[in-house]
Amino acid sequence: MTDTLLIGNKAVPRTAALAPMAGVADRAYRLMCKKYGAAYVVSEMVSAKGICYSDRKTAELCTVTDEERPMAVQLFGSEPDFMAEAVKIVLEYRSDVIDINMGCPVPKVVGTGAGSALMKDVKLAADITEAAVKAAGETPVTVKIRSGWSSDSINAPEMAKALEAAGAAAIAVHGRTRDMFYSGESDSGVIRAVKEAVKVPVIGNGDITDADSCVKMYEETGCDLVMIGRGSYGNPFIFREIEAKLRGEEYQPPALEEKMDVMLEHIRLILEISEKCEELAMHEARKHAAWYMNGYYGSAKFRGRCYQLSSYAEAEALAEEFIELQRSRQNSI
């Protein structure tokens, strides 16, 4: 396996990338994943039409910091003209890559004809991509798709060919249909079929939870890069684990104390970046705190308490209490 791949003119290490996740992969999240080895990150999806109408959140969602590079800003929309205009606006923020979302399954996105609704209209998907590519100039445009709209309309290879012809520099494939949402198993066979159908790089996404499942994705699909979504929840260490595996090095999972330190660092970053007051910013941090506690004795109760956090001091105290619980549990065994 080569060390890097090219997305357009951008070199990306062939380890693992962070998937775009609305309401999760904000700047603090991306920075934490980059710190632990994410090869490439993608922003939360941004409405092309919203940007064109000067949405007040544009700067927050489209800003790319040097620490996050290489990074893509992801847009969603169903109209080529709006997509082209949005791309021109995003270029002002010096994004390394422009990514177009054609995989989001949520009704409010699909209902506008965007996201995975575009799996049902290959021509429109290609027209949107072509408009974005023309507007982007030298900046590469990529597209993220699903295996199809439903189990009886799996068309990712056909879609990928059309997107490649429209100028897409790479295609990311989530191996589920729209009607599966995030349930069932991701189909690596569809990702392999896409890889065989196009010459541009293919990024495989779906059910990557550790280094072994990442290696399996590479081996089963022949994809050029693996992308991780939910497997990174409370677990930025997954990128370090994958790096070690691909280098043939031994990996030492983090001790609970390190996980809690990283959780608190993540919360501090959220508070630092947020323009909201501490209490409101802590609302954003709650789910992340809960995810870091997954898989431990008594974690269900503590995760519930995470959703009541309203200050950093409370998070510190809860983390210490959680560590003490695990220590006492260990001592009693």
Side-chain angles (χ1 to χ4, degrees), residues 265-276:
E265 180 187 354
H266 191 159
I267 292 173
R268 288 195 300 273
L269 200 51
I270 290 170
L271 295 175
E272 180 188 321
I273 291 170
S274 178
E275 295 178 357
K276 298 173 183 173

Side-chain angles (χ1 to χ4, degrees), residues 77-78 101-107 109-128 143-160 162-163 176-179 181:
S78 59
N101 184 308
M102 298 189 185
C104 180
V106 301
V109 172
V110 170
T112 67
S116 56
L118 288 166
M119 297 300 299
K120 297 189 291 183
D121 194 335
V122 174
K123 184 183 182 306
L124 178 57
D127 288 346
I128 289 168
V143 187
K144 189 164 191 282
I145 65 175
R146 283 198 164 222
S147 59
W149 174 257
S150 61
S151 58
D152 57 0
S153 61
I154 291 173
N155 64 337
E158 174 200 348
M159 178 80 141
L163 299 177
R176 287 181 171 84
T177 58
R178 187 269 173 172
D179 59 5
F181 281 77

Side-chain angles (χ1 to χ4, degrees), residues 19-240:
M21 293 179 284
V24 175
D26 57 11
R27 188 182 306 155
Y29 197 96
R30 297 192 300 267
L31 287 169
M32 292 304 296
C33 290
K34 282 293 287 187
K35 178 178 178 178
Y36 285 93
Y40 171 65
V41 299
V42 187
S43 76
E44 300 174 87
M45 63 180 181
V46 190
S47 165
K49 192 172 276 190
I51 287 179
C52 294
Y53 287 129
S54 301
D55 186 283
R56 61 185 177 80
K57 283 190 169 184
T58 298
E60 178 190 338
L61 291 167
C62 298
T63 296
V64 179
T65 62
D66 287 342
E67 293 83 0
E68 294 168 275
R69 298 184 188 279
M71 175 177 159
V73 171
Q74 188 184 71
L75 299 171
F76 74 94
S78 59
E79 295 158 270
D81 290 349
F82 276 111
M83 186 62 70
E85 191 58 38
V87 166
K88 291 173 188 173
I89 294 167
V90 169
L91 289 178
E92 296 172 18
Y93 295 90
R94 295 173 38 249
S95 177
D96 297 306
V97 177
I98 304 290
D99 186 55
I100 304 174
N101 184 308
M102 298 189 185
C104 180
V106 301
K108 71 177 181 180
V109 172
V110 170
T112 67
S116 56
L118 288 166
M119 297 300 299
K120 297 189 291 183
D121 194 335
V122 174
K123 184 183 182 306
L124 178 57
D127 288 346
I128 289 168
T129 302
E130 186 176 357
V133 169
K134 284 179 180 174
E138 293 183 4
T139 301
V141 172
T142 61
V143 187
K144 189 164 191 282
I145 65 175
R146 283 198 164 222
S147 59
W149 174 257
S150 61
S151 58
D152 57 0
S153 61
I154 291 173
N155 64 337
E158 174 200 348
M159 178 80 141
K161 284 181 185 176
L163 299 177
E164 180 182 43
I171 296 161
V173 188
H174 184 126
R176 287 181 171 84
T177 58
R178 187 269 173 172
D179 59 5
M180 291 173 73
F181 281 77
Y182 300 99
S183 64
E185 288 187 11
S186 175
D187 184 352
S188 61
V190 172
I191 299 170
R192 170 168 280 285
V194 171
K195 176 61 186 166
E196 292 170 350
V198 298
K199 293 183 173 65
V200 294
V202 172
I203 302 169
N205 176 222
D207 294 349
I208 308 302
T209 56
D210 54 21
D212 287 343
S213 52
C214 178
V215 169
K216 185 180 178 188
M217 172 75 83
Y218 275 121
E219 290 176 346
E220 290 187 350
T221 69
C223 68
D224 300 282
L225 185 66
V226 167
M227 182 171 269
I228 300 172
R230 290 172 296 156
S232 66
Y233 284 7
N235 185 28
F237 317 99
I238 191 171
F239 297 100
R240 186 168 67 181

